[in-house]
Amino acid sequence: MVANFISLGPTSFMTHILAIDTSTDACSVALSANGTVTGLFELAAKSHTQRLLPMVEELLHQCHCGLENLDAIAFGRGPGSFTGLRIGLGVVQGLAFARRLPVIPVSTLAAMAAGYWRRNPDAAVRPVLTSLDARMNEVYWSVYRACSGQQTPEQVIEEQVISPASAASAMNDWEEAFDGIGQGWHYDELRSLDPHTIEQACYPAAEDIARLAVEAFTRGEAVPVQEARPVYLRDTVSWKKRTRIRS
Amino acid sequence: MRVLGIETSCDETGIAVYDSDKGLLGHALYSQIDVHAEYGGVVPELASRDHVRKILPLIEEVMAAAGTEPEALDGIAYTAGPGLIGALMVGASVGRALAYGWNIPALGVHHMEGHLLAPMLEPEPPAFPFVALLVSGGHTQLVEVLGIGEYTLLGESLDDAVGEAFDKAAKMLDLDYPGGPQIAKLAQQGRAGRFTFPRPMVDRPGLDFSFSGLKTHTLNTVAEHAGPDGLPDQQTCADIALAFESAVVSTLVIKCRRALEQTGLRTLVIAGGVSANVHLRSELTSALTKIGAGVFYARHEFCTDNGAMIAYAGCQRLLAGQSEPLGVTVRARWPLDSLPECKVNK
């Protein structure tokens, strides 16, 4: 599946930010140039290493932009597939180090929320429960609310890795209508929350990462590439027990 | 031609700068041994996470030590396999993107070709053709080498790799990971002749190896002499370590001699992590010089995984005009004899 999209964002900063995301089965790249965001998006399960740099090259060519024109590189810093996050950050490390550029880590869950509202502006009145399947009967989970006047959503519940049942029970007292987005919504425990709308086929996309990154960049949140790290959420401690061979 | 080499196939991050005119200009290695030791083996996810943290600081450090500005680099070589797929992806993604960012060619290097060519970094390198004994944690192979990329597999292990057998035997003796150096150290206190372990497959023709029987024999010997805590006394452990190491070494010596006889070649190159084993080096050298053959190996630090061998191997292939497209391919498995020839260096 290949989808090209061009949209005019509300920002018009004189900045060029390249954004990439490989945190799920989707592989996407986008360029925010003076407020215009151009993106390429593919479903590329197991072929991110083959697709990512060719997509970057194609995008830059299409936008008549060279690496030397970039001001920063943004990336989906997680949560998501561990390997996917490292492929994305690896490419960002190479590009940003080579071009001496700062980088902007963007939450994949926040990007999903922003993307959902971009496609469904009327839904922005409701909070959105974002969920990616973390396997082992857990989901990456967070809740966002749209903020007027900016693309970056407000985080209502902190990003976490949690069982669908625990995520659902924490939401039981929630009285307001809400939407559910992302692959994690295949779990029955989550579906029993009965959201206003469920959009399961919702992926983080570089286009939205680019839009959030422009705001983060103007807030001064770019960091040296040497400091950029994936956000795995599931840390070493949780699987130490399973992999430990000797006590 | 000046090449930056990146190695991340397992639990070591290796970076180097090699220049085809000036030789090795700088190299550094970060070993994750401490990270994995408590698990008794490499945990792939931990390895990948550590490569992400270490790779850029090491590249900065090595380029500074090598006095090399980005403009002076002509290419980038990264290990593309075989190895841990997630670990390989880190070095390959960074390496390929760096090359794109600097607008220079990139090349994915076969990890075992890197090992095989590591002795070329020594002041007196071997000349082609030769027989190579590749011995590491994942490989035990005898290869006929006519030139770079001209490899014929002569024999290999039908089960465990030598390094793997060392690690497993070390575990039986309750030694730390990685087991090879620990067994070798303990074996120094062993008494020769207390135990004699079988030399697997030496009585059969051919150049294949098998180490699983030796492993079982070691396990049985440990169990037979075990005290109340499940382990033999310290001296017996040392005797077992020596018997094990001797059985491995003499098996390798017999097969190497046979490989030289079969091919009619007069040069043997030992490469890979196990080639750091002092006992193996001295036995091979003394046995093969007796039949008039020369034995070559890399300095100790280039026997185990390192970036220098990747920079060197990549440089040879880049000089021959080979390079990779922007799409990155890494391989957990990758037969050495499927590599293309590298004509320039013949």
Side-chain angles (χ1 to χ4, degrees), chain A residues 4-229:
Chain A
N4 294 329
F5 41 77
I6 295 179
S7 69
L8 288 168
T11 52
S12 59
F13 302 105
M14 293 297 284
T15 51
H16 288 70
I17 294 177
L18 174 69
I20 67 147
D21 180 77
T22 52
S23 59
T24 64
D25 283 351
C27 182
S28 58
V29 298
L31 180 72
S32 173
N34 305 327
T36 304
V37 179
T38 310
L40 298 174
F41 181 98
E42 291 182 8
L43 286 182
K46 311 255 176 216
S47 58
H48 294 102
T49 58
Q50 277 102 36
R51 291 301 302 138
L52 184 54
L53 277 170
M55 285 171 74
V56 168
E57 187 182 49
E58 183 187 337
L59 173 76
L60 293 179
H61 179 77
Q62 198 176 310
C63 297
H64 307 289
C65 177
L67 288 172
E68 67 280 4
N69 301 123
L70 298 178
D71 298 296
I73 302 179
F75 66 103
R77 52 76 162 151
S81 145
F82 295 166
T83 298
L85 295 178
R86 283 190 289 266
I87 292 167
L89 179 54
V91 163
V92 169
Q93 285 179 324
L95 289 178
F97 184 82
R99 306 307 313 177
R100 301 175 200 274
L101 294 171
V103 301
I104 306 163
V106 174
S107 159
T108 49
L109 297 177
M112 283 165 63
Y116 176 66
W117 292 321
R118 170 174 54 81
R119 293 185 301 277
N120 308 280
D122 296 344
V125 294
R126 293 181 296 277
V128 66
L129 281 54
T130 60
S131 168
L132 286 170
D133 194 344
R135 302 192 189 174
M136 300 190 288
N137 198 39
E138 286 187 316
V139 290
Y140 300 122
W141 178 254
S142 186
V143 177
Y144 295 93
R145 206 183 281 283
C147 293
S148 63
Q150 65 171 44
Q151 311 279 329
T152 307
E154 177 201 352
Q155 192 180 70
V156 182
I157 290 181
E158 201 182 349
E159 288 177 334
Q160 54 198 290
V161 60
I162 188 172
S163 72
S166 304
S169 75
M171 298 302 294
N172 268 339
D173 302 335
W174 196 280
E175 292 185 354
E176 196 182 342
F178 53 79
D179 293 347
I181 61 168
Q183 303 283 303
W185 281 90
H186 73 82
Y187 285 104
D188 289 338
E189 295 92 327
L190 292 184
R191 299 188 83 95
S192 71
L193 284 170
D194 197 23
H196 178 277
T197 307
I198 295 180
E199 190 184 283
Q200 207 174 303
C202 178
Y203 299 90
E207 178 184 4
D208 302 301
I209 287 167
R211 294 188 305 133
L212 302 193
V214 169
E215 294 181 352
F217 192 63
T218 48
R219 290 195 301 266
E221 292 173 13
V223 297
V225 63
Q226 290 86 342
E227 291 170 19
R229 295 283 180 273

Side-chain angles (χ1 to χ4, degrees), chain A residues 49 86 99 226 240 245-246, chain B residues 39 45 60 101 175 328:
Chain A
T49 58
R86 283 190 289 266
R99 306 307 313 177
Q226 290 86 342
K240 230 169 199 173
I245 294 162
R246 292 170 148 184
Chain B
Y39 303 96
E45 175 62 22
E60 277 186 306
L175 300 175
V328 173

Side-chain angles (χ1 to χ4, degrees), chain A residues 49-50 57 82-83 86 90-91 93-95 97-99 226 229 232 234 236 239-240 244-246, chain B residues 38-39 43 45-46 48-49 52-53 55 60 89 94 96-98 100-102 174-175 326-329:
Chain A
T49 58
Q50 277 102 36
E57 187 182 49
F82 295 166
T83 298
R86 283 190 289 266
V91 163
Q93 285 179 324
L95 289 178
F97 184 82
R99 306 307 313 177
Q226 290 86 342
R229 295 283 180 273
Y232 299 109
R234 184 177 282 147
T236 54
W239 40 265
K240 230 169 199 173
R244 181 177 284 273
I245 294 162
R246 292 170 148 184
Chain B
E38 60 178 304
Y39 303 96
V43 182
E45 175 62 22
L46 280 181
S48 301
R49 290 187 180 195
V52 169
R53 285 189 286 265
I55 192 162
E60 277 186 306
M89 280 178 178
V94 174
R96 190 65 196 83
L98 271 176
Y100 177 55
W102 282 328
D174 201 35
L175 300 175
L326 272 181
V328 173
T329 304

